[in-house]
Amino acid sequence: MALRERGELRVLGACPLDCPDTCSWVVTVKDGRATGMRGNPEHPYTRGALCVKVNRYLEHAAAPDRILYPLRRVGPKGSGRFERITWDEALDEISVRLRAIVDEHGGEAIWPYLGTGTLGHIQGSEGVAGRRFWNVLGASRHFLNICSTAGNAGLRLANGTPGGMDPETFALSRLILLWGTNTLTSGHHLWRFIQEARAAGAHIVAIDPIRTRTAEQADVHLPIRPGTDAALALGLLNVVLSEGTQDDAFLAEHTNGWADLRTEILRYPPARVAEITGLPEADIRSLGVRLAHTRPTGIRATMGVQRHAGGGTAMRAIAAIPAVTGDWRHPGGGVAYSTSGHVHLNIDTRDDLLPGPVRRLTMTRLAEGLDESVKCLWVYAANPLGSTPDQNRVRERLAREDLFTVVMEQFPTDTVDYADIVLPATMQIEHTDLHAGYGHMYLMWNEPAVEPPGECLSTTETFRRLARHMGLTEPSLYDSDLELAEQLLASGHPSLDGITVDRLRKEGWVRLNVPRPFVPFTEGFPTASGRLEFGSGPAYVPPRTAAGGPYPLALVTPASHTFLNTTFGNNPELLRRSKGPRVVVHPDDAEPRGLRDGQRARVFNAFGGFEAVVEIDDRVRPGVVASTKGHWGKLSPGGSTVNAVVEERDADLGQGAVYHDNLVEVAPVMSETT
Ligand SMILES: Nc1nc2c(c(=O)[nH]1)N[C@H]1C(S)=C(S)[C@@H](COP(=O)(O)OP(=O)(O)OC[C@H]3O[C@@H](n4cnc5c(=O)[nH]c(N)nc54)[C@H](O)[C@@H]3O)O[C@H]1N2
Ligand SMILES: Nc1nc2c(c(=O)[nH]1)N[C@H]1C(S)=C(S)[C@@H](COP(=O)(O)OP(=O)(O)OC[C@H]3O[C@@H](n4cnc5c(=O)[nH]c(N)nc54)[C@H](O)[C@@H]3O)O[C@H]1N2
Ligand code: SF4
Ligand SMILES: [Mo]
């Protein structure tokens, strides 16, 4: 929507970042320039506020290091030395190289590496932008497993979908468990609903190895040993059974496998769970009693909990809680992981265009996958050198001289330094997109507010031009952004009834066509049986860190307050506020290592290491050290980041990544102090 007021244009858009809140924003435009951006006060979830990061979005879009023109590498890989070329030169070179690779090695030699830089259904990962083009060439399939797949898989086994509570219904909860989620950092708009619940008497519990800013605000903080959440879930249910408050009618009518799960639960009394989780037995018992007697209990469990060896099983165990308590009966009861399971857009990637079956390459397995069989790596909306595991090996692989690397980017990231060709990408205020939040129930329209600077092109326009340059004749490669939007809305699903592109453009956002309050699963669970499946298999899978070894400390690397993944890692003010790479160490762990507060240290293991300033603080539990994701290697001392110590290894389900499940040692860097 664009409204003109006193010579200013107000354009409604949506935040594209990988954040559950998908805010509605209002951009003011004067003389073709964006002069202001604020959270839309009329949007029921945004409620007028953006966040510390996106408050700087316009500054970021106009930053001096923005990539504005196509570039060709002139120095060695990794040097970051480029010369400006024209789009025609870039498309010529790309066309010739892609053709030669397809002719000589087949399309599967191309890896289209799409990340989460934008979650747009038109320009980004949610609609798998570019996939039709890759299908025509027969490129390898890319599995975007970097973020949430272990939890998705665990929830799918139990509930048939990762979808659960509408986060707005937390206002109605009377007990709220914030489980492996740092609400005030990684999706703060939920807090308003939690505050409403609290005003009505709700009790708030945070379950997190770190006393985060969210845990600080909770009534109780349980500093759980990382990766042991499934055991805690079973222990809490053990207390519910002791109290005799399980919902037998719900269990009988809506679940399968209760007898086996019950046996398993009985193997996890609070004393045993205390040993596994490192939590006091009395705390487990008292939360169990509270859970047994408080309806509705709402559980907000997000991605932090599943970045572990047993992450999928952990989400599956958490999913058992509202089935045993019967919380799914009530608005404000249940589990909220992601609302994406409630979004039924028609994502038509046209896989029928593929010349035949193709292999699948896995996003978090970049180092392993980038072998000689890959001749072209095409990175878009991703910064793998910053984001993926085993950074040192990824760097080695990216340095391969025979690998043709194209990166579509807004900024000169660590990954860009290894590109042969860089293509300048638009930012959200400069292109059209359609979004669905994964933490709310609205579809959002993003109307471009200004013209792209320099020669930046959107993802869709880049692929249209490349297809034309290569003489590809498949008509659907040339669909316009508005046509793509129409196709997305044409799934025929009742939740989209009455939602049209025109309406979205006019209103900016529309709530999915579901009741309010939204209570999922009232018609049964979307599993094959229509019931929640407690399932078989282990009920608790221990973390890798429990296995021990030469490196004694468990490292967790969750969201940074000032960055969004590695996005904004180059914004000078946000970088300053982040205080640079840091590692938080408990006093009991600092003392024997001779670590002093404020000192430079090296965090390392067999895979590599990174440098960070030591912060000695008991907000981490003994045996656990904490840092964050988001820093850029080239802006960090030593040139590496947290992902240099993260192993390329899968979680138990869904091939999820294990970012919070790695063992390290921390040692002072002797020569330098800060
Ligand atoms: N400011 C900011 N916001 C973000 C992001 C960002 O980078 N910065 N990233 C966005 C993205 S991509 C995502 S996926 C989400 C992620 O956001 P979240 O879902 O919140 O996930 P994390 O930040 O990985 O971890 C959340 C919390 O889980 C805790 N945790 C780690 N291991 C365990 C465990 O074993 N058990 C329990 N109970 N807790 C554990 C961590 O200490 C952390 O406080 O946030 C999005 N929002
Ligand atoms: N250690 C550790 N590592 C982690 C995590 C963790 O918890 N710990 N979390 C993981 C998670 S949850 C995620 S989701 C991943 C994210 O990893 P990535 O998907 O690599 O996301 P970003 O690091 O934000 O990089 C996205 C890039 O896309 C660019 N971009 C944004 N919009 C566009 C666009 O429209 N077009 C193009 N061409 N480019 C665009 C941005 O400038 C940015 O450089 O990181 C993972 N890495
Ligand atoms: S990053 Fe999240 S909280 Fe910040 S503006 Fe975007 S959607 Fe909103
Ligand atoms: Mo993510």
Side-chain angles (χ1 to χ4, degrees), residues 220-287:
V220 172
H221 170 218
L222 297 183
I224 191 168
R225 191 175 281 147
T228 63
D229 303 273
L232 178 61
L234 295 164
L236 294 174
L237 289 175
N238 186 289
V239 181
V240 170
L241 292 188
S242 305
E243 296 291 300
T245 57
Q246 71 277 6
D247 188 332
D248 290 315
F250 190 88
L251 287 164
E253 279 165 46
H254 299 294
T255 71
N256 275 337
W258 171 232
D260 288 347
L261 179 67
R262 188 172 173 283
T263 310
E264 202 59 37
I265 289 169
L266 294 175
R267 293 179 54 233
Y268 288 87
R272 177 171 179 221
V273 172
E275 253 170 54
I276 297 172
T277 60
L279 296 171
E281 186 182 335
D283 291 356
I284 298 165
R285 211 175 278 286
S286 92
L287 179 57

Side-chain angles (χ1 to χ4, degrees), residues 309-333:
T313 302
M315 277 312 299
R316 192 182 194 183
I318 290 170
I321 294 176
V324 175
T325 58
D327 270 308
W328 283 125
R329 292 178 188 281
H330 316 287

Side-chain angles (χ1 to χ4, degrees), residues 53-397:
K53 311 168 291 291
V54 175
N55 285 338
R56 311 195 89 80
Y57 198 85
L58 293 186
E59 169 190 310
H60 203 45
D65 58 345
R66 178 97 190 259
I67 296 171
L68 299 176
Y69 305 98
L71 303 170
R72 179 197 288 134
R73 181 166 62 88
V74 292
K77 289 211 173 186
S79 65
R81 297 213 322 267
F82 295 97
E83 62 176 356
R84 180 176 162 184
I85 55 174
T86 65
W87 266 101
D88 265 343
E89 287 171 306
L91 294 176
D92 276 344
E93 182 162 342
I94 290 167
S95 303
V96 169
R97 293 291 296 264
L98 287 184
R99 272 276 169 248
I101 289 170
V102 173
D103 288 347
E104 211 174 311
H105 307 280
E108 283 183 311
I110 302 167
W111 187 344
Y113 195 98
L114 170 61
T116 61
T118 161
L119 298 191
H121 276 82
I122 296 174
Q123 306 294 345
S125 56
E126 293 296 298
V128 207
R131 176 127 138 206
R132 293 176 181 180
F133 175 83
W134 299 121
N135 284 344
V136 169
L137 297 193
S140 291
R141 179 74 71 242
H142 171 72
F143 179 36
L144 204 160
N145 68 324
I146 204 160
C147 175
S148 57
T149 51
N152 286 340
L155 288 169
R156 225 174 250 127
L157 283 175
N159 296 339
T161 168
M165 291 169 68
D166 174 353
E168 289 180 42
T169 61
F170 276 95
L172 305 169
S173 307
R174 287 301 162 263
L175 170 61
I176 296 177
L177 308 189
L178 301 174
W179 202 326
T181 187
N182 188 359
T183 306
L184 287 171
T185 285
S186 51
H188 73 87
H189 292 81
L190 179 65
W191 199 254
R192 295 279 291 270
F193 299 91
I194 293 173
Q195 280 175 317
E196 280 175 35
R198 185 174 245 171
H203 183 81
I204 321 292
V205 178
I207 302 166
D208 196 307
I210 310 177
R211 195 169 66 243
T212 59
R213 65 179 71 217
T214 306
E216 296 267 11
Q217 299 295 318
D219 296 304
V220 172
H221 170 218
L222 297 183
I224 191 168
R225 191 175 281 147
T228 63
D229 303 273
L232 178 61
L234 295 164
L236 294 174
L237 289 175
N238 186 289
V239 181
V240 170
L241 292 188
S242 305
E243 296 291 300
T245 57
Q246 71 277 6
D247 188 332
D248 290 315
F250 190 88
L251 287 164
E253 279 165 46
H254 299 294
T255 71
N256 275 337
W258 171 232
D260 288 347
L261 179 67
R262 188 172 173 283
T263 310
E264 202 59 37
I265 289 169
L266 294 175
R267 293 179 54 233
Y268 288 87
R272 177 171 179 221
V273 172
E275 253 170 54
I276 297 172
T277 60
L279 296 171
E281 186 182 335
D283 291 356
I284 298 165
R285 211 175 278 286
S286 92
L287 179 57
V289 170
R290 210 181 262 281
L291 172 66
H293 299 285
T294 316
R295 306 277 74 73
T297 290
I299 302 176
R300 175 66 168 168
T302 58
M303 286 81 200
V305 99
Q306 48 98 59
R307 308 201 200 283
H308 289 272
T313 302
M315 277 312 299
R316 192 182 194 183
I318 290 170
I321 294 176
V324 175
T325 58
D327 270 308
W328 283 125
R329 292 178 188 281
H330 316 287
V335 178
Y337 178 69
S338 161
T339 52
S340 57
H342 300 309
V343 180
H344 299 279
L345 292 166
N346 169 40
I347 298 164
D348 187 4
T349 51
R350 293 297 310 274
D351 293 351
D352 60 300
L353 298 174
L354 276 171
V358 291
R359 65 175 174 175
R360 187 173 81 162
L361 295 166
T362 301
M363 186 167 183
T364 56
R365 293 287 190 137
L366 181 58
E368 179 190 78
L370 207 49
D371 61 15
E372 296 296 314
S373 72
V374 180
K375 302 296 179 195
C376 170
L377 178 71
W378 187 289
V379 179
Y380 53 134
N383 180 16
L385 195 45
S387 296
T388 63
D390 207 350
Q391 192 167 80
N392 291 335
R393 229 162 38 108
V394 169
R395 191 186 296 278
E396 263 170 41
R397 292 295 173 99

